[in-house]
Every structure is written in structure tokens, then in C-alpha cells.
Amino acid sequence: MTRNSKTLLLGAFALALGVSTASAQDVTIGFVAHAQGDPFVQQIQDGAQAAANDLGVKLVVAQQAGGAPEGQLKLVQNFANSGAQGIATSVPGESMAKGLNEIIDSGVPIVQFNLLSTAVNAPYVGEKSVESGRVLGKMIVEKLGGAEAKGTVILGNCFPGFPVLENRAKGVQESLKAAPGLNVIGPFDVKVSAVDNFNRWEQLYGANPEAVALIGLCAPDVTSLGKLNAANGDKFVAGGYDLTELNLKAIKEGHAYVTIGQSAFVQGYLPVALLVNAVKNGAKLGSGFHNSGAQIVTADSVDMGNGLKPISFDEAQKLAADPAATIEYYKPWTQSLTAEILSAAPQPISAESE
Amino acid sequence: MTETDSNPTAATRRRWRMPEEIGVVVALVAMMAVIGIARPRFLNPINLFSLLGNTTFLGMLAVGMVFLLAIREIDLSVGWMFNFSAVVAALLMVAGLDPWLAAFIGILFGAGLGLVNGLIAVTLRLPAIIVTLGTYSMFQGLSLVVNKGRAIVPADQSSSFFSVISTKLFGLVPVAALVFIVLAIAMHIVLHRTRFGYRVQAVGSNPEAAAHAGIPTNWVRLQTLVLMGAICGLSGVMYVGFRGAIDPNEGGDFVLVVIAAVIIGGTPLSGGHGTIIGAVVGMMIIQVISSGLIFFGIDATWSTFVTGAVIVLAVSLDRLIKFQRARRAERSRETLRS
């Protein structure tokens, strides 16, 4: 071997030693998510980590910046090849289905969360997407004056093509039809990064200054719309999704009206609990739907779903910012997850989009 | 008789000259060895062939990008040419066309997209990077219009097109990966053994000198961009065959990875030269890093940094080797002169 080759080998070896921090535990669960850095996805990850801590397993997280199915599938395959006993993953595209089913057939259980493909033979933990859209649309119509409401409503989608988001749009549009005087335009691609998202909404409002309501379908929208409303004298009704810190701040300050939560903690916790139950107790994981529950938050009321105790808006804000407080708040729910409940048959997958 | 021929030692050295890709090959082998020693499961053939399979679709694009960098061009629209070709082919399959024929049309469609890039670049005398900055969004937008923002999944996948492409020989080796390897070998020969390849490198090395030498530089640029489009088309239709579907957002994040693989492999941004082998190895390095991070259990919050750091390390080591080789060669020349 040449001197140069030795240098290379030593360099790579030193690097590997430096990064080799894994500790040995009995069960390793892989957790693969999209949109790295997104606060909502981080809340899901916090839920997954809480489950791993509670159940005494090791959780390894891999994420990609965007939502490309091929990149996500590679991460899942790497986990399967590395010997992870179970894998929880969001499924941002149909082209992952074939590869995921091959992994499932090889004996590695998989649970989908947040984004799904109905072609994957694995359970899905998430919201009832069309129904949550209906709830959001209904609240906006009521805020605008009910069936007599008039004006332009702009709809934005940060990831056109994602089935869950398309379903939300469908639900929103369905509810908005209750007011025939509303002219709905979109859904427009409003991008997912905070900067792009705000810019897109600003452009859309600039082109439609008469709009009476702006509705987003993703986590960054309420924050962007709140900023936009504040800069324009709070002229429109803003609504969207997810209980992130900044979204709640926009609502508290009166620049946004409503945000629909999809129980991020549950979407992280339940997949890990299902996988650990499958690994330790041999429970079968087939296709099916586990409803993570919807949360409805306005400045005046907070409904956290899942039969959880009522809390004030300030407490909801604290939960969004503090993973430890969230774990504590969800304890009655996490403690209710017995092996029997986890082994029970889920709803049919079609229930997700009813 | 030349000067070196009269010196047996120098002649021997010339005969035994290491290939230029040796640096990245050693980096790849070293990484795999280190990960394999610490995590023996990494060297399981199932994992290694899975890595090869993961290299396929982006690797094909990297092979085409070598030609572009060699001619001092960059095509930013590769990911959406991949996507748009795959969408068109998949829609034709959904419409009932024979999947093999639909795939062939998809490749031609990709070449057509490359032709659009080429014609704009040549007629307006614009660098491809500027043109494809625009066509990046054009192709994405048109693809979204055509697929209506939804995944295209050919319902009938009983055709041999799907079974052949997604087959694993001996249960291990993906046929798609074999096609990639054959493509890489063919393109290596095209770049280094054909008149077209010499012309690409001549134009990239010095466009003015190439024009003075009678090389039709615009024609060569056009051919190169069409070749890139056709390779994107091939990769796209193979993806449909392998995965059984194409999603509306697939391909959007490909371009940076493709360019990174080509540069890691040793093709300079300054043009005039390219290495297909290096690009393939560069893409494999990226896949090995991604896999290694998971085998070592490194959390997502650190993995992005570590990925970048290992790429910088691999490129640095490659450059260090090349620098030392250049110094040795210089010393040899000085010795011969003295």
C-alpha cells in the first residue's frame, strides 16, 4: 500500500471512530422523516423519542431536507440493512410503496406516519385528512359570516401532490361551498421553507388584495399569514395547520384566526409503540389507519383532542415550546397504551380520507 | 528515441502510472473498510448491492453531467428532465401503450427536452447554466400540469418491462444497476475513445482554439445537451420500471447531488477533462456516507454536517494525492533535466 493510501485509510478510520457513538441496546427502531428542520416534524420526532425512552429501546433518526420519495426510501433501506428491528417512516410518494413492501416482506415491520401511501402493507398513524380540511373550512366560513359570506378565498399547498395535503384541500373546498358567494382560488404552490412560504403568500395577497381569507395546508402557513396580516392591517381571516410555537404566537396576537393540530406527539409516539409491541410481543402489523386525532385552536378555545384534559391558550403555547412539558401532558394518554390496545385491529385505511 | 525511452526507470514509471481516479477509489474502499470493520453487517452482499441499486438513477445523471462539465457547462434541469420523461412514459403506460414502447418514447422525450436546452443555449449564445435555470422551473411546471400534481402509477404492471427492470439477478444484483454499469462503460468509451468525446474535451479545454481547429463548437454543445436529456429520459423510464410509479416531486433535489458526485470524482469545473469512473465512484461515496451514518447510528441532527464533512475530507484527500503525484512528476522531470 502506498503512503497516500495509508493516509486515506487512517483519515477515514479516525473519522469513523469520531462519529461512532452508538450504544448497544436490545431493540433499535429507525425513524425516517421528511422536511428536516421543520418545527412540526421536530414535534413528531420528540414524540417518537419519548416513546423510545418510555419503552426502553434505541431510536435512530434519519431525515432529508425535502420530501423526495427516492431519498426517503434509501434511508429506510439503509435502516433495514443495518439491522433495525422496526422502522417508522413518513411516506411522501407512491414510488416508495414497492420498496417498502419488499422490506416488510423481508420481515422488518414498518409503520407509516404523517404522510402515507395506501399501497404500503403497513399501518398508518395520522389525521383524518379530508375531515380536518372540512373542519378548517367550516370555521373559516363561520368567521366570514356563514352561508352569506362573500369574497375571494386563497388556498395554498406547500407540497402539491402529497395525498394528505390534497385531501385537506378537498375538505376545505367542500366546506367553503356552504357559502356560494365565496370565490375560491388555488390551491397555489406556497413552498415549505419559511422564507419561500412567506414570499409566495405575499405575492398571492399582492395579486388579490381584495381576498377575505387566506388558508394554508402546511405548518409554516399560519406564521407567514400572521406576519402578512399584521403588515396589512389585519384585513383577512387566516387559517391553517399545526400547533407550532410561531403559529400559536400569530393567533395570540390576533393576526391569524385558527390552526388545526394533528397531534404531532401522537404521530411520533404511536408508531414507535406499535413497532415495539410488534417486535417484543410478535403483534402483526397489517395495513390500517390509527387516527392521531385533531386539535382545534383559536385565541378563545383550545381543544387538544384524544380526550386530553382542557388547557388554556398559554398552556398550549408552553407545550409547543417545551418537549418535556408535552411528555408530561400526554402521560395519561401514553399510559393508556396497553399491549392489548396496540394489538387491536386498526380502522380500514380508507377511513383516513373519509 | 525519446528522452524517457532512454531512461528505463522513467519508462517503467510511465507504464505503471496509476489511474487518476485512484484517490477517490481508495477513499471509497477505505470508507467501506472502516464502516465494515466497525459494523460487519455493512459488508453483507445484500447491503452492498442495495447501495449499488441506490446509486443507479442519480448515477446515470452523473454520467451525463461529466460530459457537460467537461465542456464547461452545467445543466440545472436534470432532475426535472428525469421527472418529466418518467411522467410522460408512465402516462403513456396508463393510457395502454406497451410499456417498452412508452419507455422508448420517454427516452426520446428526454432527448427532446435536452434539445430545447441546447437550441436555446446555442442560438442565444447563453451558457447552459443560465438557460437551465429557467427550464428547471419550466419542466417542473409542465410536468405538474401533465401529472395534475399526483403520482402516476401504471395500473397494469404485468408487462415484462416492470419484471425485467426490477428483477434482481441471483436475488441480489438489480438489473437496473447492471444497465447503469453498462451505460457508464459505454460513456467512458465515448468520452475517451471517440471523436465526439475528444471534441467535447477540446471545446471544454479551450473553445477558441477548438473553433480555430475546425471543431463545430455549437454543434458539439448541442449534442452534449441532447445526450444529457436522453440519459435523463433513460434514468426516468428505468425509475418507473423499478419503482412502479413516479411522484410529482421526484427529481427536484437531484441536481446538487449529481454535480457533487461528478466533482468528488475528479472532473474539474474548469472543463477540458472528465472522468466517468470518478463520477460513478463519487456517487457511490455519497451513498456509502448516507448508509454509514445510519449503520453508526448517528442522529439526523448531526448527519447533515457529517455528510458534508466527509465529502470535503474525501475531496481533500483526492486533491492531496494528485498534488503529491504532480510534485513527484515535477521532481522526476527535474532529475531528468539535470
Side-chain angles (χ1 to χ4, degrees):
Chain A
M1 185 180 274
T2 66
R3 191 177 156 186
N4 291 329
S5 305
K6 281 178 186 166
T7 310
L8 273 169
L9 191 59
L10 284 172
F13 190 65
L15 184 79
L17 284 178
V19 299
S20 177
T21 55
S23 62
Q25 274 178 288
D26 287 345
V27 176
T28 297
I29 301 294
F31 187 87
V32 185
H34 58 286
Q36 186 172 31
D38 181 272
F40 167 70
V41 176
Q42 183 59 45
Q43 288 176 347
I44 297 179
Q45 193 180 315
D46 292 340
Q49 190 58 60
N53 295 342
D54 286 352
L55 303 169
V57 300
K58 180 185 173 191
L59 187 83
V60 183
V61 179
Q63 276 185 284
Q64 56 164 352
E70 180 68 2
Q72 189 112 344
L73 179 60
K74 284 176 186 174
L75 295 174
V76 177
Q77 283 172 333
N78 285 334
F79 270 124
N81 292 340
S82 72
Q85 284 93 329
I87 303 162
T89 181
S90 58
V91 181
E94 292 296 325
S95 56
M96 290 177 72
K98 203 170 172 182
L100 291 178
N101 284 336
E102 281 174 13
I103 293 169
I104 293 164
D105 291 344
S106 75
V108 181
I110 285 177
V111 175
Q112 309 176 78
F113 65 86
N114 193 240
L115 300 170
L116 85 157
S117 162
T118 53
V120 177
N121 302 322
Y124 167 66
V125 179
E127 58 162 355
K128 291 188 79 155
S129 52
V130 179
E131 183 57 27
S132 80
R134 287 189 195 113
V135 171
L136 177 59
K138 193 176 166 211
M139 294 197 70
I140 298 287
V141 169
E142 282 170 5
K143 182 73 176 170
L144 290 171
E148 303 304 315
K150 284 180 186 165
T152 300
V153 177
I154 307 173
L155 197 53
N157 182 348
C158 71
F159 270 127
F162 275 13
V164 168
L165 300 180
E166 300 285 349
N167 284 345
R168 286 179 181 175
K170 199 172 141 189
V172 170
Q173 286 165 320
E174 211 177 292
S175 289
L176 293 180
K177 280 180 187 159
L182 290 176
N183 172 35
V184 184
I185 56 172
F188 295 100
D189 183 359
V190 289
K191 304 292 177 193
V192 75
S193 86
V195 174
D196 284 345
N197 186 264
F198 178 79
N199 290 345
R200 292 294 175 112
W201 279 116
E202 192 176 37
Q203 288 156 10
L204 282 168
Y205 189 60
N208 303 279
E210 76 290 353
V212 292
L214 276 65
I215 305 172
L217 304 171
C218 307
D221 295 320
V222 173
T223 303
S224 297
L225 294 175
K227 278 186 206 164
L228 192 60
N229 222 0
N232 289 280
D234 291 322
K235 289 179 185 154
F236 59 84
V237 175
Y241 277 85
D242 299 324
L243 273 56
T244 62
E245 223 178 324
L246 291 173
N247 283 0
L248 294 175
K249 183 170 174 279
I251 287 175
K252 189 177 187 182
E253 290 170 352
H255 305 308
Y257 168 56
V258 61
T259 189
I260 306 291
Q262 43 175 321
S263 307
F265 184 87
V266 175
Q267 289 194 24
Y269 197 100
L270 193 52
V272 175
L274 287 167
L275 287 167
V276 173
N277 186 49
V279 172
K280 290 188 173 172
N281 301 324
K284 290 273 178 206
L285 290 177
S287 175
F289 173 54
H290 294 270
N291 189 357
S292 61
Q295 303 158 312
I296 306 168
V297 177
T298 66
D300 302 325
S301 69
V302 177
D303 176 358
M304 292 297 282
N306 285 308
L308 291 161
K309 69 173 181 182
I311 53 172
S312 67
F313 192 92
D314 288 343
E315 284 171 318
Q317 273 193 301
K318 191 184 171 198
L319 292 185
D322 184 354
T326 305
I327 292 168
E328 200 54 39
Y329 175 70
Y330 273 88
K331 252 198 181 132
W333 176 81
T334 57
Q335 285 170 347
S336 73
L337 292 176
T338 59
E340 198 180 338
I341 287 176
L342 292 168
S343 302
Q347 299 176 59
I349 196 73
S350 57
E352 184 275 335
S353 54
E354 282 172 354
Chain B
M1 188 179 278
T2 62
E3 190 178 29
T4 46
D5 286 339
S6 63
N7 183 330
T9 314
T12 308
R13 266 190 199 147
R14 195 176 62 176
R15 275 201 302 275
W16 286 96
R17 191 170 181 271
M18 288 281 194
E20 59 174 321
E21 296 88 359
I22 190 68
V24 282
V25 171
V26 170
L28 175 66
V29 172
M31 277 180 199
M32 291 176 71
V34 170
I35 299 168
I37 289 166
R39 301 282 185 273
R41 201 184 167 109
F42 178 83
L43 297 176
N44 184 318
I46 293 173
N47 184 51
L48 296 181
F49 282 109
S50 170
L51 283 175
L52 182 63
N54 288 344
T55 307
T56 300
F57 305 105
L58 285 154
M60 284 184 176
L61 305 193
V63 164
M65 191 66 85
V66 170
F67 282 81
L68 283 167
L69 257 63
I71 204 169
R72 287 198 204 176
E73 297 281 14
I74 290 180
D75 186 338
L76 298 177
S77 67
V78 288
W80 292 116
M81 287 199 287
F82 161 93
N83 176 287
F84 202 2
S85 308
V87 164
V88 167
L91 281 171
L92 290 172
M93 292 174 199
V94 170
L97 202 66
D98 178 75
W100 288 106
L101 183 58
F104 181 67
I105 294 171
I107 297 168
L108 287 182
F109 185 77
L113 296 176
L115 182 65
V116 170
N117 281 337
L119 286 175
I120 298 172
V122 167
T123 53
L124 299 180
R125 297 185 180 182
L126 286 170
I129 192 170
I130 306 279
V131 174
T132 55
L133 200 62
T135 54
Y136 173 96
S137 294
M138 282 170 61
F139 297 156
Q140 177 191 12
L142 286 173
S143 182
L144 278 170
V145 168
V146 172
N147 64 34
K148 298 186 174 70
R150 293 190 179 273
I152 308 294
V153 188
D156 180 10
Q157 302 200 359
S158 57
S159 161
S160 58
F161 173 73
F162 294 98
S163 52
V164 167
I165 290 178
S166 60
T167 291
K168 289 181 179 171
L169 297 178
F170 313 112
L172 277 177
V173 190
V175 168
L178 291 181
V179 174
F180 165 51
I181 291 167
V182 170
L183 176 78
I185 293 169
M187 289 299 114
H188 175 81
I189 292 167
V190 168
L191 185 61
H192 296 291
R193 296 281 184 275
T194 67
R195 191 169 68 163
F196 170 64
Y198 294 141
R199 283 178 163 187
V200 165
Q201 295 180 70
V203 174
S205 179
N206 189 332
E208 290 79 18
H212 281 303
I215 294 174
T217 54
N218 282 340
W219 176 236
V220 176
R221 283 179 76 206
L222 187 67
Q223 284 176 309
T224 311
L225 285 159
V226 171
L227 175 69
M228 183 75 248
I231 290 175
C232 289
L234 175 66
S235 181
V237 300
M238 296 239 341
Y239 184 86
V240 174
F242 194 72
R243 299 283 185 226
I246 178 71
D247 287 289
N249 55 336
E250 192 62 270
D253 61 346
F254 281 8
V255 65
L256 283 182
V257 182
V258 168
I259 293 172
V262 176
I263 292 171
I264 289 169
T267 298
L269 279 169
S270 52
H273 170 69
T275 158
I276 302 286
I277 297 169
V280 173
V281 175
M283 189 57 78
M284 291 184 80
I285 285 177
I286 290 173
Q287 300 305 329
V288 165
I289 292 169
S290 171
S291 178
L293 290 170
I294 285 176
F295 272 77
F296 280 121
I298 296 170
D299 215 66
T301 44
W302 275 102
S303 64
T304 309
F305 165 77
V306 176
T307 302
V310 176
I311 288 173
V312 169
L313 182 70
V315 174
S316 305
L317 290 171
D318 179 53
R319 292 295 179 270
L320 184 68
I321 287 174
K322 282 182 177 158
F323 175 70
Q324 289 188 342
R325 282 171 64 181
R327 268 182 56 184
R328 269 207 304 273
E330 183 62 29
R331 277 189 202 138
S332 301
R333 278 195 291 274
E334 282 171 8
T335 309
L336 286 170
R337 276 190 218 114
S338 61

